[in-house]
Amino acid sequence: MIQIRKADTRGHAEHGGWLDSWHTFSFANYYDPAHMGYSVLRVINDDVIAPGAGFPMHAHQDMEIVTYVLEGALEHRDSLGNGDVIRPGDVQRMSAGTGIRHSEFNPSQTEPARLLQIWLLPQKTGVTPSYEQTRFDPAQLQGQFRVVASPDGRDGSVHINQDTLLYATKLNQGETARLELAPGRRAYLQVAQGDVELRGFPLHRGDGAEISQETEITLTGIHAAEVLVFDLQ
């Protein structure tokens, strides 16, 4: 079963010219009881941050936070002493656990930054906060699903404190990628860039799909595309 969530039905917030954000699930001032999350997936925010702008230091607790940069760059600093610049190809994971503070800024004075910020409920609360960042060569994603986050760090993916596998793929026009799902698992698909076809459904940038009672996901590029898939309980 596939249920499509079109990009323009998401929540939208524009903050004083420095942040333009689309919310797949209820977040901040956007509340929709029909879209509170999916399985343990709680937030997918599609953010565009203006040059030189960003989020000042703020706190999180008991949440798994994954940042996936699509355009530009994002400078991260946190209360654990980490300081990194995240660019396309990088996947960053922060386990907030008992509490962590961090800031995120666009370091460019001329170019906007676009990213997906993802929150998952943790499998275990009260863990020691931690941080991880890994880079994936685009060739590793091209025409295939590549695991980029997992509970056991398999295949060089970042570790997350949850029974979830996050896959990414890049597809050229006419290129197809397939992903098997174990019995009883669900999935959420998010089109980050471009256009794809899923089981006869055309999906475009910002579109999502809830997938259940399926054993395989088959995606074909309509135009050059980048897609994330969450394999969930």
Side-chain angles (χ1 to χ4, degrees):
M1 186 169 67
I2 298 172
Q3 185 170 335
I4 304 299
R5 180 86 191 276
K6 299 301 292 181
D8 60 2
T9 67
R10 298 175 296 174
H12 182 236
E14 200 284 324
H15 297 274
W18 73 270
L19 174 66
D20 188 88
S21 186
W22 289 88
H23 309 314
T24 294
F25 305 115
S26 294
F27 184 85
N29 293 329
Y30 166 60
Y31 175 74
D32 182 346
H35 296 286
M36 297 299 296
Y38 187 68
S39 180
V40 296
L41 184 56
R42 181 61 188 84
V43 168
I44 304 177
N45 286 350
D46 189 339
D47 293 341
V48 176
I49 302 174
F55 301 91
M57 196 67 73
H58 59 284
H60 294 284
Q61 185 173 345
D62 284 329
M63 195 67 70
E64 297 296 296
I65 300 171
V66 176
T67 301
Y68 193 95
V69 174
L70 296 163
E71 301 170 20
L74 190 70
E75 184 173 359
H76 165 95
R77 296 190 181 279
D78 64 41
S79 54
L80 301 180
N82 299 298
D84 294 287
V85 176
I86 315 162
R87 304 182 189 279
D90 295 332
V91 177
Q92 181 208 74
R93 182 271 305 166
M94 212 172 48
S95 294
T98 54
I100 191 170
R101 292 175 58 80
H102 76 135
S103 63
E104 299 165 294
F105 279 89
N106 179 356
S108 173
Q109 296 303 309
T110 57
E111 300 296 326
R114 179 170 172 244
L115 59 124
L116 297 179
Q117 184 149 110
I118 298 150
W119 296 6
L120 299 110
L121 300 173
Q123 189 168 43
K124 181 180 180 181
T125 60
V127 301
T128 300
S130 61
Y131 172 93
E132 188 179 8
Q133 182 175 324
T134 299
R135 182 162 188 81
F136 296 90
D137 189 288
Q140 296 177 288
L141 279 59
Q142 193 63 50
Q144 62 183 341
F145 284 101
R146 173 68 158 87
V147 62
V148 297
S150 66
D152 54 7
R154 69 188 66 175
D155 298 330
S157 61
V158 298
H159 298 74
I160 49 175
N161 172 27
Q162 185 49 265
D163 180 16
T164 296
L165 298 168
L166 172 57
Y167 293 90
T169 186
K170 291 176 176 282
L171 297 172
N172 291 325
Q173 183 178 0
E175 195 169 29
T176 296
R178 293 179 176 85
L179 178 66
E180 291 186 4
L181 296 176
R185 300 287 287 185
R186 292 181 283 172
Y188 194 89
L189 181 151
Q190 184 70 33
V191 181
Q193 312 258 37
D195 311 282
V196 296
E197 181 181 303
L198 169 68
R199 187 73 69 79
F201 295 101
L203 300 176
H204 312 288
R205 169 174 159 165
D207 289 350
E210 297 179 0
I211 301 168
S212 61
Q213 302 174 28
E214 302 282 345
T215 59
E216 183 180 86
I217 295 171
T218 301
L219 279 183
T220 300
I222 298 173
H223 299 103
E226 187 167 4
V227 178
L228 299 184
V229 172
F230 300 84
D231 180 335
L232 303 156
Q233 299 174 357

